[in-house]
Structures are given as C-alpha cells and as structure tokens.
Amino acid sequence: MIRRRWAADTLSRWFAMNIMMALLIAAAMNAAFVQFAGVWAKPGIKDIGIVEQAAAVVRLIDSAPRDMRPRLAQAARGDVYSVEWFPSDDALPMRHDDIYRGVTARLRDLIGRPNVRVLGSEPGDPGIDGTPTTKYALAIDLSDGSWLLFVAPERSWGLDPWVRNVPTGIFALAGSVAVGALASRRLARPMEKFARQAQRFGADVHAPPMESAGPLEFRMAAHAFNDMQARVKRYVADRTYMLAAISHDLRAPLTRMRLRGEFIEDEEQQRRLFRDVDDMRAMVDSALAFFRDDSEQEEATRFNLSELVNTVVDNFRDAGSDVAFHHAGSVAYTGRPLSLRRTFSNLVENAVKYGTRAAVTMQETEDGIEVTIDDDGPGIPEKLHEAVFRPFYRIEASRNRQTGGVGLGLAAARSAVRGHGGDIVLENRSEGGLTVRVRLPVFDSVSALAACHPRA
C-alpha cells in the first residue's frame, strides 16, 4: 500500500521530486559556474600546490653545480609550467616587479632563505625590451645570484579566498533562490487555482466546475468541491423554481377573490378587499420578476459603465427629478449591462423617492469601480442597514405600496451586484441623508465572468 501510494501522483511525491530537481539544478548551475567563471571559481595560487612545487625545484637546482642547472631545469618542466635557468637577472625576459607579494613569504619559508627575491609578470606586462609579455612568469633568485624562471602558458589558479567566495556565494544564493522559487511555484499553482475557484464560488454559485489538475490530493479535493457545488446549485435552483411556482399559483386565487368581491354589497368592505387583493397581486408580480431574474442568465459583455449610469441619470432628469452625475471619465467594464441598469435605476429611484434628490459619483479604485449615490433624506438607522436587504422587508410600517413598496428592490439590487463579485453597503451621512456605496470588481476579460449569474 505504501509503495502504491508513493508511485501515485501524490503531494508527497511532488514535494520529493521538486526538492530533488531543485537540488540537481542548483548543483548543475554551480558546476557550470565553476567551469565557465574562470579565475572567479578557481582556488588561489597558494591553494593549488604550485608554490610548493616551485620551491622543491628551487631547492634541488640551487644545491646542484652551475653546469648541471640548465639540464635540471629542462628536466623539471611539466604540463603546468616550464622552467628555465638564467645565470643573472640581466637576461630575464621580464620586468623586475615584485607583484607576487602574497606568495613571497611562503616561498621564503619553503626554500629556507629569508632574503629570497620573487619577481613576476602577467600577460600584457612590458618585458625588458618593452614588448608586452604573453604568459604568466615567476622568477626566483638562487643563492649564487642566478635565477629560475617558471613560465605558465595558462592561468591555473584563481583569486584569494575572500575575493572569490563573495561572487561564488552570491551566485549560489541567487541560483538557489531562483530554483526554489520555480519549484515552489509549481507546487503552489494547483493550490492557488483551488483558492481562486473557491473564492469565485463564494461570489457566484453558478461558477463553472473546478478543473481537476495537480497532485492526487488536489484532484480529490477538486472532485469533492465540484460535487458540493453541484448540490448547492441544485438546492438553489429547486428553491427558486419552487418559490416562483408558488408566486405564480397565487395569481389564480387572487383573481377568484376579486371576482367574488364584485358580489359584496357593502362598498366599504368591497373597497378594502380590492385594496388587499391589489397589494397581494403587486407582491406576487414583484416576486415573480425577482425570481425570473434569478433563473434567467444574461450574457456577460464589455461595455461603457459610465455611459450606462449616465443614461439612467438622464431618464430621471427627463422625468423632472433632481439627479446629478459626477465621474472622472469613461470607464470600461465587463459584466451584465441590463442587470446593472436595473440595479442603478432602483437605487437612484429610492434616493429620489425618499431623499428628494440623488447625487451619483463614479470613481476607479485599486480594487475596481465604486459608485456612490447620496440623498438628502432621513437616512436609515444603522441597526437596519443589513435588514433592508432582506426580501419583503419594509421600514415603512403602513403597508402602503405607494410609500413603502413591497421590499424587494434593495434585495434584487444587492443580488445583482454580488452576482458580479461586488457588494452594496449603506452609510449615513454626517450632514444628513444616506449614502449607498456600490463596489464592483474589475475582471480582465469577458470569459472571466461569462458563467456568472445575476444572483450569486
């Protein structure tokens, strides 16, 4: 069972494989750096043993007779450097500069002569004749005044440890961070997709099913999430259709009540009955419209939101209402224009009806678009700011439809806005009146909202 689980595409296997890949890539990058970084990646001259080799050759030739030194120098040549003996420093084909101070003390200790002179040159340094040298050279004087010249065709040593370790450490750190970021990104991508889909479902019950991808645990969670979403969608659909059917079926008994009311001889009782029937019919019609909006999907599209709100404001101005609209400029938005048109019409109508005037302001924020509607009415007690969004809730207690409506306007408006992933909040103004604040998120494309439903 353990072997089978390890062979499956599980999260633990993903972690193990990503860590192994990260380590292998980091090691390969470090090896490539050592291979191609030149002197930055090679050990210093005191760490590769070439100084000890040169000291051994110096001790050997210095103890030999002068006539044997040329042959011994010839025999001491190797792949790393060549050796040549010069009877005096006048014949040295190099500038007499003590540039290898870092190895001078080490050579003096190895050779056993405290006053040994060490000279050196690098490619590009001028020689005795003034022409640039082309190879690395190291000259050490012997006890009788003659010199041994060590010439390396290529540099096989690097910088001092403290100089070399700084760029090496920076590269290793940068490479490890880059590889770790890529590996962690690959692991986090399925989790991010799962979180985004869960957030979207929180704002839209009709969002498309979650894509099943990633490790086994994420695929199992996605299947469970999709099953839960399907059950919730069925529950919401059944509830909507049931309430719509009840509201529709109430029309028949209301019609019969009105017909039977025609036979009531008492005119006062007849008038009261007809008024109650008309109120109930208005509530039924409003409920049917509310549930119809819930069951019918409108195609999402890209449109000019500021122009849509301006059209709503112009309609109220044409009717003689005191409505003003302030906005910074044209605002493009992806959503359902008919649903939002009904929403803003409802909110502006409430402001004009209960607050004598409406001041509409639109502005873009970091999170999306915000539309505020201010009025000069009495406002709403803060404790009722959430209650007024409940269906059929009315602050006005007279039950007069002309003064209080049926209590579905704000509920439908908030449902439409939440169907776009936004929300509506109420705030009392300090100078008197009510502010309705509509917040709408901005979607990058039509497809991002194409599956959304007017009531989320």
PDB file of all heavy atoms in Angstrom, residues 355-357 373-380 427-435:
ATOM      1  N   GLY A 355     -35.290  60.709  -0.572  1.00  0.00           N
ATOM      2  CA  GLY A 355     -34.326  61.733  -0.214  1.00  0.00           C
ATOM      3  C   GLY A 355     -34.383  62.970  -1.059  1.00  0.00           C
ATOM      4  O   GLY A 355     -33.454  63.790  -1.017  1.00  0.00           O
ATOM      5  N   THR A 356     -35.433  63.146  -1.844  1.00  0.00           N
ATOM      6  CA  THR A 356     -35.722  64.326  -2.668  1.00  0.00           C
ATOM      7  C   THR A 356     -34.729  64.538  -3.809  1.00  0.00           C
ATOM      8  O   THR A 356     -35.083  65.134  -4.820  1.00  0.00           O
ATOM      9  CB  THR A 356     -35.764  65.614  -1.820  1.00  0.00           C
ATOM     10  OG1 THR A 356     -34.463  65.914  -1.336  1.00  0.00           O
ATOM     11  CG2 THR A 356     -36.746  65.474  -0.664  1.00  0.00           C
ATOM     12  N   ARG A 357     -33.509  64.091  -3.695  1.00  0.00           N
ATOM     13  CA  ARG A 357     -32.548  64.248  -4.783  1.00  0.00           C
ATOM     14  C   ARG A 357     -31.529  63.115  -4.704  1.00  0.00           C
ATOM     15  O   ARG A 357     -31.435  62.397  -3.695  1.00  0.00           O
ATOM     16  CB  ARG A 357     -31.806  65.585  -4.685  1.00  0.00           C
ATOM     17  CG  ARG A 357     -30.780  65.658  -3.575  1.00  0.00           C
ATOM     18  CD  ARG A 357     -29.938  66.919  -3.634  1.00  0.00           C
ATOM     19  NE  ARG A 357     -28.850  66.848  -2.656  1.00  0.00           N
ATOM     20  CZ  ARG A 357     -27.643  66.360  -2.930  1.00  0.00           C
ATOM     21  NH1 ARG A 357     -27.380  65.923  -4.146  1.00  0.00           N
ATOM     22  NH2 ARG A 357     -26.706  66.337  -1.995  1.00  0.00           N
ATOM     23  N   ILE A 373     -24.210  56.800  -4.260  1.00  0.00           N
ATOM     24  CA  ILE A 373     -25.460  57.518  -4.503  1.00  0.00           C
ATOM     25  C   ILE A 373     -25.858  58.173  -3.188  1.00  0.00           C
ATOM     26  O   ILE A 373     -26.210  57.486  -2.223  1.00  0.00           O
ATOM     27  CB  ILE A 373     -26.556  56.565  -5.002  1.00  0.00           C
ATOM     28  CG1 ILE A 373     -26.087  55.849  -6.269  1.00  0.00           C
ATOM     29  CG2 ILE A 373     -27.856  57.317  -5.257  1.00  0.00           C
ATOM     30  CD1 ILE A 373     -26.976  54.712  -6.695  1.00  0.00           C
ATOM     31  N   ASP A 374     -25.802  59.498  -3.133  1.00  0.00           N
ATOM     32  CA  ASP A 374     -26.117  60.269  -1.928  1.00  0.00           C
ATOM     33  C   ASP A 374     -27.494  60.916  -2.070  1.00  0.00           C
ATOM     34  O   ASP A 374     -27.902  61.328  -3.168  1.00  0.00           O
ATOM     35  CB  ASP A 374     -25.077  61.366  -1.692  1.00  0.00           C
ATOM     36  CG  ASP A 374     -23.677  60.793  -1.503  1.00  0.00           C
ATOM     37  OD1 ASP A 374     -23.573  59.683  -0.955  1.00  0.00           O
ATOM     38  OD2 ASP A 374     -22.707  61.453  -1.914  1.00  0.00           O
ATOM     39  N   ASP A 375     -28.220  61.007  -0.961  1.00  0.00           N
ATOM     40  CA  ASP A 375     -29.501  61.703  -0.960  1.00  0.00           C
ATOM     41  C   ASP A 375     -29.588  62.578   0.288  1.00  0.00           C
ATOM     42  O   ASP A 375     -28.715  62.532   1.163  1.00  0.00           O
ATOM     43  CB  ASP A 375     -30.680  60.719  -1.037  1.00  0.00           C
ATOM     44  CG  ASP A 375     -30.744  59.770   0.157  1.00  0.00           C
ATOM     45  OD1 ASP A 375     -30.660  60.251   1.307  1.00  0.00           O
ATOM     46  OD2 ASP A 375     -30.884  58.550  -0.037  1.00  0.00           O
ATOM     47  N   ASP A 376     -30.651  63.365   0.367  1.00  0.00           N
ATOM     48  CA  ASP A 376     -30.855  64.285   1.499  1.00  0.00           C
ATOM     49  C   ASP A 376     -32.023  63.839   2.371  1.00  0.00           C
ATOM     50  O   ASP A 376     -32.633  64.649   3.063  1.00  0.00           O
ATOM     51  CB  ASP A 376     -31.117  65.714   0.985  1.00  0.00           C
ATOM     52  CG  ASP A 376     -29.889  66.311   0.327  1.00  0.00           C
ATOM     53  OD1 ASP A 376     -28.776  65.866   0.651  1.00  0.00           O
ATOM     54  OD2 ASP A 376     -30.053  67.213  -0.522  1.00  0.00           O
ATOM     55  N   GLY A 377     -32.329  62.562   2.352  1.00  0.00           N
ATOM     56  CA  GLY A 377     -33.459  62.056   3.119  1.00  0.00           C
ATOM     57  C   GLY A 377     -33.150  61.873   4.585  1.00  0.00           C
ATOM     58  O   GLY A 377     -32.091  62.297   5.082  1.00  0.00           O
ATOM     59  N   PRO A 378     -34.032  61.200   5.305  1.00  0.00           N
ATOM     60  CA  PRO A 378     -33.841  60.994   6.748  1.00  0.00           C
ATOM     61  C   PRO A 378     -32.799  59.926   7.074  1.00  0.00           C
ATOM     62  O   PRO A 378     -32.398  59.786   8.241  1.00  0.00           O
ATOM     63  CB  PRO A 378     -35.225  60.569   7.236  1.00  0.00           C
ATOM     64  CG  PRO A 378     -35.848  59.919   6.035  1.00  0.00           C
ATOM     65  CD  PRO A 378     -35.332  60.666   4.829  1.00  0.00           C
ATOM     66  N   GLY A 379     -32.353  59.171   6.058  1.00  0.00           N
ATOM     67  CA  GLY A 379     -31.403  58.098   6.327  1.00  0.00           C
ATOM     68  C   GLY A 379     -32.081  56.853   6.877  1.00  0.00           C
ATOM     69  O   GLY A 379     -33.315  56.786   7.007  1.00  0.00           O
ATOM     70  N   ILE A 380     -31.291  55.887   7.226  1.00  0.00           N
ATOM     71  CA  ILE A 380     -31.777  54.617   7.774  1.00  0.00           C
ATOM     72  C   ILE A 380     -30.990  54.328   9.040  1.00  0.00           C
ATOM     73  O   ILE A 380     -29.767  54.465   9.051  1.00  0.00           O
ATOM     74  CB  ILE A 380     -31.599  53.462   6.761  1.00  0.00           C
ATOM     75  CG1 ILE A 380     -32.434  53.719   5.501  1.00  0.00           C
ATOM     76  CG2 ILE A 380     -31.984  52.129   7.379  1.00  0.00           C
ATOM     77  CD1 ILE A 380     -32.241  52.669   4.428  1.00  0.00           C
ATOM     78  N   GLU A 427     -24.408  53.751   4.267  1.00  0.00           N
ATOM     79  CA  GLU A 427     -23.747  54.601   5.246  1.00  0.00           C
ATOM     80  C   GLU A 427     -24.588  55.865   5.442  1.00  0.00           C
ATOM     81  O   GLU A 427     -25.058  56.455   4.467  1.00  0.00           O
ATOM     82  CB  GLU A 427     -22.335  54.991   4.786  1.00  0.00           C
ATOM     83  CG  GLU A 427     -21.396  53.825   4.573  1.00  0.00           C
ATOM     84  CD  GLU A 427     -20.075  54.265   3.986  1.00  0.00           C
ATOM     85  OE1 GLU A 427     -19.898  55.494   3.803  1.00  0.00           O
ATOM     86  OE2 GLU A 427     -19.214  53.407   3.701  1.00  0.00           O
ATOM     87  N   ASN A 428     -24.778  56.259   6.697  1.00  0.00           N
ATOM     88  CA  ASN A 428     -25.460  57.514   6.986  1.00  0.00           C
ATOM     89  C   ASN A 428     -24.486  58.676   6.852  1.00  0.00           C
ATOM     90  O   ASN A 428     -23.356  58.616   7.342  1.00  0.00           O
ATOM     91  CB  ASN A 428     -26.062  57.486   8.398  1.00  0.00           C
ATOM     92  CG  ASN A 428     -27.275  56.579   8.473  1.00  0.00           C
ATOM     93  OD1 ASN A 428     -28.062  56.499   7.532  1.00  0.00           O
ATOM     94  ND2 ASN A 428     -27.422  55.894   9.599  1.00  0.00           N
ATOM     95  N   ARG A 429     -24.918  59.725   6.192  1.00  0.00           N
ATOM     96  CA  ARG A 429     -24.069  60.897   6.001  1.00  0.00           C
ATOM     97  C   ARG A 429     -24.083  61.764   7.263  1.00  0.00           C
ATOM     98  O   ARG A 429     -25.121  61.890   7.935  1.00  0.00           O
ATOM     99  CB  ARG A 429     -24.560  61.703   4.803  1.00  0.00           C
ATOM    100  CG  ARG A 429     -24.580  60.920   3.504  1.00  0.00           C
ATOM    101  CD  ARG A 429     -25.258  61.724   2.398  1.00  0.00           C
ATOM    102  NE  ARG A 429     -24.540  62.973   2.157  1.00  0.00           N
ATOM    103  CZ  ARG A 429     -25.055  63.993   1.502  1.00  0.00           C
ATOM    104  NH1 ARG A 429     -26.330  63.945   1.074  1.00  0.00           N
ATOM    105  NH2 ARG A 429     -24.345  65.085   1.291  1.00  0.00           N
ATOM    106  N   SER A 430     -22.941  62.351   7.568  1.00  0.00           N
ATOM    107  CA  SER A 430     -22.850  63.188   8.764  1.00  0.00           C
ATOM    108  C   SER A 430     -23.725  64.435   8.643  1.00  0.00           C
ATOM    109  O   SER A 430     -24.277  64.919   9.638  1.00  0.00           O
ATOM    110  CB  SER A 430     -21.396  63.591   8.999  1.00  0.00           C
ATOM    111  OG  SER A 430     -20.876  64.281   7.876  1.00  0.00           O
ATOM    112  N   GLU A 431     -23.871  64.959   7.419  1.00  0.00           N
ATOM    113  CA  GLU A 431     -24.703  66.148   7.228  1.00  0.00           C
ATOM    114  C   GLU A 431     -26.170  65.813   6.998  1.00  0.00           C
ATOM    115  O   GLU A 431     -26.980  66.699   6.742  1.00  0.00           O
ATOM    116  CB  GLU A 431     -24.172  66.976   6.046  1.00  0.00           C
ATOM    117  CG  GLU A 431     -24.217  66.263   4.711  1.00  0.00           C
ATOM    118  CD  GLU A 431     -22.938  65.474   4.449  1.00  0.00           C
ATOM    119  OE1 GLU A 431     -22.252  65.105   5.436  1.00  0.00           O
ATOM    120  OE2 GLU A 431     -22.637  65.229   3.271  1.00  0.00           O
ATOM    121  N   GLY A 432     -26.518  64.531   7.090  1.00  0.00           N
ATOM    122  CA  GLY A 432     -27.899  64.105   6.887  1.00  0.00           C
ATOM    123  C   GLY A 432     -28.067  63.421   5.552  1.00  0.00           C
ATOM    124  O   GLY A 432     -27.475  63.806   4.544  1.00  0.00           O
ATOM    125  N   GLY A 433     -28.884  62.392   5.540  1.00  0.00           N
ATOM    126  CA  GLY A 433     -29.099  61.655   4.315  1.00  0.00           C
ATOM    127  C   GLY A 433     -28.404  60.299   4.348  1.00  0.00           C
ATOM    128  O   GLY A 433     -27.785  59.907   5.354  1.00  0.00           O
ATOM    129  N   LEU A 434     -28.498  59.593   3.232  1.00  0.00           N
ATOM    130  CA  LEU A 434     -27.979  58.224   3.131  1.00  0.00           C
ATOM    131  C   LEU A 434     -27.028  58.130   1.948  1.00  0.00           C
ATOM    132  O   LEU A 434     -27.246  58.758   0.903  1.00  0.00           O
ATOM    133  CB  LEU A 434     -29.134  57.234   2.962  1.00  0.00           C
ATOM    134  CG  LEU A 434     -28.752  55.747   2.913  1.00  0.00           C
ATOM    135  CD1 LEU A 434     -28.299  55.276   4.296  1.00  0.00           C
ATOM    136  CD2 LEU A 434     -29.943  54.909   2.437  1.00  0.00           C
ATOM    137  N   THR A 435     -25.962  57.360   2.110  1.00  0.00           N
ATOM    138  CA  THR A 435     -25.031  57.044   1.024  1.00  0.00           C
ATOM    139  C   THR A 435     -25.116  55.559   0.731  1.00  0.00           C
ATOM    140  O   THR A 435     -24.923  54.732   1.628  1.00  0.00           O
ATOM    141  CB  THR A 435     -23.583  57.417   1.406  1.00  0.00           C
ATOM    142  OG1 THR A 435     -23.486  58.828   1.552  1.00  0.00           O
ATOM    143  CG2 THR A 435     -22.609  56.968   0.320  1.00  0.00           C
TER     144      THR A 435
END
